[in-house]
Amino acid sequence: MDYQGLLEEVATHVAPHIGQGEVAQYIPALASVDPRRFGIAVADVDGTVTGVGDWEVPFSVQSISKAFSLALVLEQDGERIWRRVGREPSGNPFNSLVQLEYENGIPRNPFINAGALVVTDRLQTLTGDASTTMLEFLRAESGNPDLAFDQAVAASESEHGDRNAALAHFMASYGNLDNPVTTVLEHYFWQCSIEMSCRDLAVAGGFLARHGLRADGSRLLSPRQAKRINAVMLTCGTYDAAGDFAYRVGLPGKSGVGGGIVAVIPGRCTLCVWSPGLDARGNSVAGTAALDHFTTLTGWSVF
């Protein structure tokens, strides 16, 4: 497969979409990012990576981190996390409080903010340092020892994190957090602030394409667990636009308000696309268009 030529064709096709949408405004440190940036990378299951555009420029991973925290919790704790968080699409914005009250403090899925806070809480209990555990894992899987937290982004999220604090306190009132709310929030903000490039994320997510095998060939997850993460990414990974994303792209994917999207083609490769302009639901406009065109050109989807 000529990935280079394929990605260049995708980039040319989506050029009119680059710069469309709005950068994330509610996190001030992200509001100054140039919306005209665009990069895309594909990492084959053997780790070979190809990219075009701004594919080696680091950006804030934000909610893409939720897929990795879920994987680490499943690896260490098996299926127990599903007693505390569901696996259904939310149908509401990623930071909604509405369903928590109706469902007694149990988040609808692990990729909305409430669910990710529960997963971070469990990872903190299991490791004693959730955010550093994730950073070390991502350094190992990406092969990039220089990955780091963006302190300005973490501080910005903390200063403007009232909604996430409300979600955490609400779940704590139902007994669905084991650690202090301040601790959970701190590690959640740090993990979202990690900076990675399309290259880094495509390579780091490779275990989801390899049915649970890490970059070094050791097993992180069982094939069943990897399948289940991919399934939840397909149904819940792009917030309340998951149905439209499945319709257009046809792949498991996890987006973040930094403008990145990771998508998985099981048994074949992992992709990451980045363009900071977001649609009304918090997903990259050009990124979604790029993945749509990629699967249209290749015929590679899970359908």
Side-chain angles (χ1 to χ4, degrees):
M1 170 58 68
D2 175 19
Y3 282 126
Q4 188 69 39
L6 178 62
L7 296 183
E8 289 174 358
E9 183 172 349
V10 168
T12 299
H13 177 81
V14 302
H17 298 282
I18 298 170
Q20 291 183 0
E22 299 288 338
V23 297
Q25 298 292 328
Y26 69 97
I27 302 173
L30 300 182
S32 61
V33 178
D34 183 355
R36 295 166 296 181
R37 293 280 201 172
F38 175 83
I40 185 170
V42 56
D44 220 330
V45 288
D46 65 1
T48 302
V49 61
T50 306
V52 299
D54 298 315
W55 69 293
E56 294 183 294
V57 176
F59 60 91
S60 183
V61 302
Q62 292 296 308
S63 287
I64 296 173
S65 65
K66 298 171 183 177
F68 296 105
S69 59
L70 178 60
L72 291 170
V73 167
L74 288 174
E75 182 241 346
Q76 296 195 36
D77 205 33
E79 303 293 310
R80 295 178 183 86
I81 191 64
W82 301 123
R83 301 171 188 171
R84 300 174 54 191
V85 62
R87 298 187 294 270
E88 296 293 334
S90 68
N92 284 311
F94 55 84
N95 59 357
S96 174
L97 283 154
V98 174
Q99 285 173 331
L100 278 179
E101 185 164 11
Y102 285 115
E103 297 175 1
N104 300 315
I106 303 296
R108 186 63 69 91
N109 67 68
F111 295 148
I112 55 175
N113 288 15
L117 287 165
V118 171
V119 174
T120 298
D121 175 65
R122 187 59 187 155
L123 187 60
Q124 177 65 18
T125 297
L126 291 167
T127 66
D129 190 341
S131 54
T132 300
T133 297
M134 178 180 293
L135 180 61
E136 291 175 348
F137 171 78
L138 291 171
R139 284 172 172 170
E141 289 306 287
S142 68
N144 183 356
D146 296 325
L147 294 184
F149 302 113
D150 184 322
Q151 295 189 11
V153 170
S156 183
E157 292 204 60
S158 180
E159 291 168 10
H160 298 84
D162 291 338
R163 179 64 66 94
N164 285 317
L167 292 167
H169 281 292
F170 196 85
M171 291 187 295
S173 75
Y174 279 96
N176 202 16
L177 289 183
D178 295 328
N179 295 282
V181 166
T182 53
T183 300
V184 176
L185 290 171
E186 177 185 5
H187 285 277
Y188 176 73
F189 294 144
W190 279 117
Q191 76 180 37
C192 288
S193 78
I194 294 171
E195 281 201 318
M196 300 177 72
S197 65
C198 291
R199 177 252 169 229
D200 296 328
L201 279 164
V203 175
F207 67 92
L208 291 171
R210 291 188 294 267
H211 309 294
L213 291 179
R214 294 186 64 164
D216 64 3
S218 63
R219 183 160 292 284
L220 176 73
L221 302 170
S222 69
R224 183 187 190 198
Q225 289 172 320
K227 175 192 74 175
R228 288 181 164 181
I229 292 179
N230 282 330
V232 179
M233 286 172 66
L234 178 70
T235 58
C236 308
T238 48
Y239 314 122
D240 51 334
D244 186 62
F245 188 83
Y247 175 80
R248 292 180 60 188
V249 177
L251 295 174
K254 185 70 202 82
S255 62
V257 296
I261 308 174
V262 168
V264 181
I265 305 176
R268 191 182 292 272
C269 62
T270 306
L271 299 113
C272 181
V273 61
W274 172 55
S275 189
L278 309 178
D279 62 22
R281 292 170 171 174
N283 300 309
S284 171
V285 174
T288 302
L291 293 171
D292 181 358
H293 196 57
F294 182 94
T295 55
T296 299
L297 289 173
T298 61
W300 296 347
S301 84
V302 297
F303 302 111

